[in-house]
Amino acid sequence: MEPVGVYRIFERSSEIRNLQYIDFYGDGDSKGYGVKKIYGENSVTKYECIGHIQKRVGSRLRKLKTKHKGCGGGGKLTDTFIDKLQNYYGIPIRSNVNDLKGMKSAVIAAFFHCCSSSKQPMHGQCPDRPDSWCKFQRAVSRGIKYSDNEKGLPKVVMKIVQPVYMKLCDQELLKECLHGKTQNANESFNCILWKFIPKEIFVELQTLRFGGFMAVIQFNKGFKALLDILTAIGIHPGMFTVKGFAEIDNERLCEAKRHSLPSVKTARKKKKIAKNEKYEGVTYKCGAF
């Protein structure tokens, strides 16, 4: 279904609007890239959503952990450590847009940085400057003694993890991430669309079109855009309707801002860590191991 839908969109754009798409942003395993030859040989270039590429780190390492039973457990390849490594993988990609050499160097440095500990420091590839993202190198460049409290990763486990991680540092893969873009906007629109038309429920074409129009309006301008539509069809919104729509839009914006607050993000991380510890036990605690 997905390949057919993408092909129709690309084909229709050329026939009706005389416009050809040149870029295709996929999520790695998307079958929709069958459109690469729609306008001619390799006429459409595929790029990866950096968010999905980042998630590959987590999915592949969790799969690795299930295969190698000795990898998991306290002080080893825990879900908390995997999340950390996944996060550190994504930061260099976002920080080195259009810089392939810098991006590759940074994602490799991120791996050794995360695996490093006070007994086994591996910050040699981290940027050695006062504004470095690496706390160790930042302290060294400022002449300050740095105390590393991270447990890192044992060498035995590191040898198992490294080949899997390094495959995601492949130059050809990183080339497709140089744009630094994600599919977050698409995912956000899909979420709005599914509120009007749940994807698990079959609807007729008229309902589908109406739901699509409503989703586009909501995504671009919020509920206040409905006021113009009501006026255009001869319905004049009352004071309470105008006020109600404004409150809905304001509530949505406030909720979005709240979710982006550092304190809320920290709370979400703590909640996630607590959930992981429920299944794995405490994976790190100062002086406990």
Side-chain angles (χ1 to χ4, degrees), residues 17-28:
R17 298 180 177 84
N18 198 27
L19 181 146
Q20 293 184 355
Y21 293 101
I22 58 172
D23 297 335
F24 176 92
Y25 292 89
D27 54 4

Side-chain angles (χ1 to χ4, degrees), residues 2-288:
E2 183 181 329
V4 175
V6 175
Y7 198 91
R8 284 178 180 173
I9 291 170
F10 276 57
E11 188 177 44
R12 182 178 59 202
S13 177
S14 178
E15 292 176 354
I16 299 176
R17 298 180 177 84
N18 198 27
L19 181 146
Q20 293 184 355
Y21 293 101
I22 58 172
D23 297 335
F24 176 92
Y25 292 89
D27 54 4
D29 59 349
S30 175
K31 295 178 181 178
Y33 190 46
V35 295
K36 64 180 178 180
K37 298 180 181 179
I38 189 169
Y39 309 126
E41 189 67 26
N42 296 323
S43 54
V44 179
T45 305
K46 183 186 179 187
Y47 294 102
E48 297 287 355
C49 165
I50 60 174
H52 283 85
I53 292 296
Q54 184 178 346
K55 287 178 182 177
R56 286 189 193 180
V57 177
S59 60
R60 292 193 182 183
L61 292 184
R62 286 185 177 88
K63 189 176 180 180
L64 179 72
K65 189 171 73 168
T66 57
K67 285 185 176 180
H68 296 267
K69 298 299 180 183
C71 284
K76 296 181 182 179
L77 191 62
T78 61
D79 283 340
T80 304
F81 183 86
I82 291 172
D83 289 339
K84 177 184 176 181
L85 193 56
Q86 178 177 297
N87 188 41
Y88 269 82
Y89 177 87
I91 292 170
I93 292 178
R94 290 175 170 83
S95 304
N96 292 275
V97 175
N98 295 322
D99 180 7
L100 181 59
K101 186 178 179 181
M103 185 182 290
K104 184 172 183 178
S105 175
V107 291
I108 293 173
F111 173 75
F112 291 103
H113 174 87
C114 291
C115 295
S116 180
S117 65
S118 56
K119 295 180 181 179
Q120 187 180 303
M122 293 179 284
H123 301 282
Q125 298 188 56
C126 299
D128 53 349
R129 54 179 187 266
D131 62 340
S132 174
W133 51 264
C134 174
K135 292 181 180 179
F136 179 87
Q137 291 289 11
R138 197 161 64 229
V140 170
S141 61
R142 294 175 181 175
I144 304 170
K145 186 179 179 181
Y146 177 69
S147 178
D148 194 350
N149 295 321
E150 297 293 336
K151 288 185 67 67
L153 206 63
K155 281 188 176 181
V156 178
V157 180
M158 187 178 164
K159 286 180 180 178
I160 299 171
V161 174
Q162 189 172 349
V164 177
Y165 183 90
M166 289 304 164
K167 283 183 180 179
L168 295 171
C169 300
D170 179 68
Q171 191 161 303
E172 292 302 314
L173 176 63
L174 295 177
K175 269 184 186 178
E176 297 180 352
C177 301
L178 288 173
H179 53 82
K181 296 178 181 178
T182 70
Q183 289 185 323
N184 290 349
N186 290 354
E187 300 290 352
S188 178
F189 174 76
N190 290 344
C191 183
I192 295 173
L193 178 63
W194 292 333
K195 284 181 180 178
F196 289 106
I197 312 169
K199 57 182 178 179
E200 65 272 7
I201 298 175
F202 178 81
V203 295
E204 61 180 12
L205 183 59
Q206 186 177 358
T207 305
L208 180 63
R209 283 176 175 167
F210 182 73
F213 294 149
M214 288 290 291
V216 170
I217 292 168
Q218 292 279 299
F219 183 77
N220 289 322
K221 292 189 175 181
F223 269 85
K224 67 179 181 181
L226 295 176
L227 298 174
D228 295 332
I229 295 173
L230 291 173
T231 303
I233 61 176
I235 301 173
H236 299 285
M239 179 182 68
F240 292 109
T241 302
V242 174
K243 185 180 178 181
F245 282 3
E247 286 179 354
I248 292 171
D249 286 339
N250 187 52
E251 185 180 343
R252 181 174 59 87
L253 291 172
C254 289
E255 190 68 12
K257 287 178 181 178
R258 188 184 71 81
H259 279 290
S260 63
L261 290 172
S263 58
V264 177
K265 288 182 179 179
T266 303
R268 282 203 300 268
K269 286 181 181 178
K270 285 182 178 179
K271 188 176 180 181
K272 191 173 184 180
I273 291 170
K275 186 179 178 182
N276 291 338
E277 287 180 351
K278 183 180 178 182
Y279 297 101
E280 295 185 345
V282 178
T283 56
Y284 175 75
K285 195 173 183 181
C286 187

